[in-house]
Amino acid sequence: MSSQDFKAGRVAVLCSWILILLIGAPLGYLSLRVYRAALPYTAIEGLPETSSSKVFVDVLGECNNCEKSVQDAFSIRGVETDVKEISNVEGLTSCDASEILNEFQSSTSKTRAQTKNSGLVIYVKHGCLPTTSQGPTVKLQGRVAVLLDIEAPSAISEEALDILVDVIIGSQDDQDKTLEISSSYFISFSLLVSDPGDYQVSWNLEDTEATYFAPLAEQLKGVVDLVSSSQYLFYTAIEEPVQSDTGDSYFYGEHILSRFLSIPTLNPTSPVIQRPRINFALYAPERRFMPLHLRLPNGSQAAWNFFGAPDWGGLVLIPGSEDFRKSNLTHLDVDTSDTMMAFIWQLRNLLDIPVLSNYYMNSPCHVNRLDHWELDRFLRRQYQRNMKRTKDGLMGLKQSLEEIPNMVIEDAIQSTVEQSVAHAQSALQAINVGDLPKAFSESNLAMQDAEKAFYNPSILGLLYFPQDELYAVFLPSLLPFFVTMLGITKYYWRKGKQITKESEEKEKSE
């Protein structure tokens, strides 16, 4: 190789390395780097872990140190309260909660609880409610709680307040048994007949649905949409019941519910129904097994002849009678009032709006309507669930970004996360002033945006494409090039040293 060729080759190698370092390396870095829009991490971390809602309470009547008693009772459960005592109230002499609420609402002196969308009014009046051996009585209606303190008429007992707080706040155990949060549910009412050739069954579902289901659905409209449908099915795949010891009736145990859970037409995850499905089934048994009852594990008969199943719905058996079994009647009219009572009772439990016992209510049991405080309780608990899922979803996205460096965050995801944070902050502001409907609505939007961002399909592009696999794809094509360049560089470096050495020796010899 001539000296001129060597110099030209060395310049070419040097220029190649310059191009690789100045152009190739940056382009390679940019090609391997994923786009990640900035997310509001500080705002996400600033969302509270548990979003408890402030309860506004106005105490009416003469009451010693009620403000502190109410605050302490709620604070034990981790709930902040804003309590105001109103000792002198004109015109409130009634013991009926509905009359108290009507009189107080018509008063010119409005309380904070009344001027807000949520709040609790406690009316303390000794002798309003009958003394019972079970302890202090709590009567709730509208937004009024009437408390009777047996020991001290001018104060609220701790036991009575514990009952009140338990009713208003609820427990986590009850919430764990409820359905997943959804803005709408599909309610299916099914009549299952074991042998339509034996006798015909008619049920007046339309009227009972209008009486029991429609009022509840109307009150929940805008919060939860309940869409109902009914069907008539022929179903015989069920085992024979057990005959009672007396031989005059039959019964099924709780295990029989699993037979109905497996019916395809009652599948709660049917792809045809996009919204969560709740099934309520009324089963007409064979004539020869009447009367038929559902028996609890303790041996007692189930109320309404009803079994409930979490995340599914419930089942009611038509008991029939011994007279019908012995008769030749071919038609059975079913009184669906009790059946619908059982269905709505279970529906309220699944939606986390349980029907309280008369011990707490001290009033006739009602399942087809909601008092104001019941709706407030429902909105408050749904708000808390929404906020928890919002925080979990956003923190889950943040953790995934830290663990998976190749996860792409596009501008659309950034916008969705920012909207979720904004809705969550708006919900916190609304709950602090007692605006429960707005707090629920904003928290629901925050949860939807958080889950939309977390499950965005664009994230999955490089989610399972880790760094070592990137190298495994690019190295086979790049490695031969770099080996060749290193070999050429090494050749010219050695050749240059050799030429330099020869020139030095030539100079010494001269």
Side-chain angles (χ1 to χ4, degrees), residues 20-262:
I20 290 173
L21 293 176
L22 296 182
I23 299 178
L27 286 177
Y29 171 76
L30 292 175
S31 64
L32 293 176
R33 182 182 138 198
V34 297
Y35 179 72
R36 180 173 290 183
L39 298 181
Y41 295 114
T42 303
I44 293 174
E45 294 174 351
L47 296 177
E49 292 290 341
T50 55
S51 301
S52 60
S53 57
K54 182 185 294 186
V55 178
F56 292 84
V57 182
D58 289 325
V59 181
L60 311 181
E62 297 292 339
C63 186
N64 296 332
N65 203 24
C66 281
E67 182 176 347
K68 186 176 185 306
S69 299
V70 174
Q71 288 177 341
D72 291 345
F74 279 91
S75 64
I76 293 176
R77 299 285 291 274
V79 178
E80 184 183 356
T81 55
D82 188 343
V83 185
K84 181 180 179 181
E85 296 183 20
I86 305 175
S87 57
N88 298 321
V89 182
E90 297 181 359
L92 295 185
T93 59
S94 172
C95 290
D96 183 78
S98 59
E99 292 184 12
I100 296 169
L101 185 63
N102 292 333
E103 292 176 9
F104 201 61
Q105 285 178 337
S106 61
S107 172
T108 56
S109 174
K110 299 289 185 181
T111 66
R112 298 158 309 138
Q114 287 177 292
T115 57
K116 299 179 184 300
N117 292 315
S118 66
L120 181 67
V121 179
I122 298 178
Y123 183 46
V124 183
K125 184 173 176 62
H126 180 58
C128 267
L129 303 176
T131 301
T132 65
S133 59
Q134 295 174 313
T137 308
V138 177
K139 179 178 181 179
L140 292 170
Q141 190 168 341
R143 288 200 180 100
V144 175
V146 181
L147 302 177
L148 172 66
D149 189 345
I150 300 173
E151 298 177 356
S154 59
I156 304 178
S157 70
E158 293 184 2
E159 189 177 358
L161 278 176
D162 287 342
I163 294 173
L164 178 64
V165 173
D166 183 65
V167 169
I168 297 299
I169 302 303
S171 65
Q172 184 61 41
D173 292 339
D174 294 336
Q175 202 169 60
D176 292 340
K177 300 175 184 177
T178 60
L179 295 168
E180 286 295 318
I181 301 174
S182 178
S183 59
S184 62
Y185 296 93
F186 180 80
I187 315 297
S188 174
F189 298 104
S190 303
L191 174 61
L192 307 177
V193 180
S194 59
D195 186 3
D198 188 8
Y199 61 92
Q200 297 294 318
V201 181
S202 63
W203 60 339
N204 190 9
L205 181 64
E206 184 176 347
D207 291 344
T208 53
E209 190 175 351
T211 302
Y212 292 96
F213 176 77
L216 184 64
E218 182 64 27
Q219 282 188 283
L220 291 175
K221 183 179 293 185
V223 179
V224 175
D225 292 330
L226 302 178
V227 180
S228 65
S229 178
S230 61
Q231 58 182 342
Y232 189 105
L233 300 176
F234 172 45
Y235 181 67
T236 58
I238 192 170
E239 64 189 59
E240 292 189 2
V242 179
Q243 191 172 19
S244 64
D245 296 335
T246 57
D248 57 354
S249 63
Y250 298 84
F251 68 88
Y252 280 124
E254 283 186 322
H255 71 281
I256 200 63
L257 189 59
S258 62
R259 306 287 184 180
F260 295 91
L261 296 179
S262 61

Side-chain angles (χ1 to χ4, degrees), residues 40 43 47 390 394 415-429 442-443 445-446 449:
L47 296 177
T390 299
L394 295 178
S415 176
T416 303
V417 171
E418 291 175 347
Q419 289 177 7
S420 176
V421 172
H423 285 308
Q425 292 173 342
S426 177
L428 289 171
Q429 294 174 358
E442 291 291 326
S443 65
L445 293 174
D449 285 338

Side-chain angles (χ1 to χ4, degrees), residues 501-510:
K501 184 178 179 181
E502 290 176 353
S503 87
E504 290 177 354
E505 291 178 352
K506 184 177 180 180
E507 290 177 357
K508 287 180 181 180
S509 62
E510 292 178 354

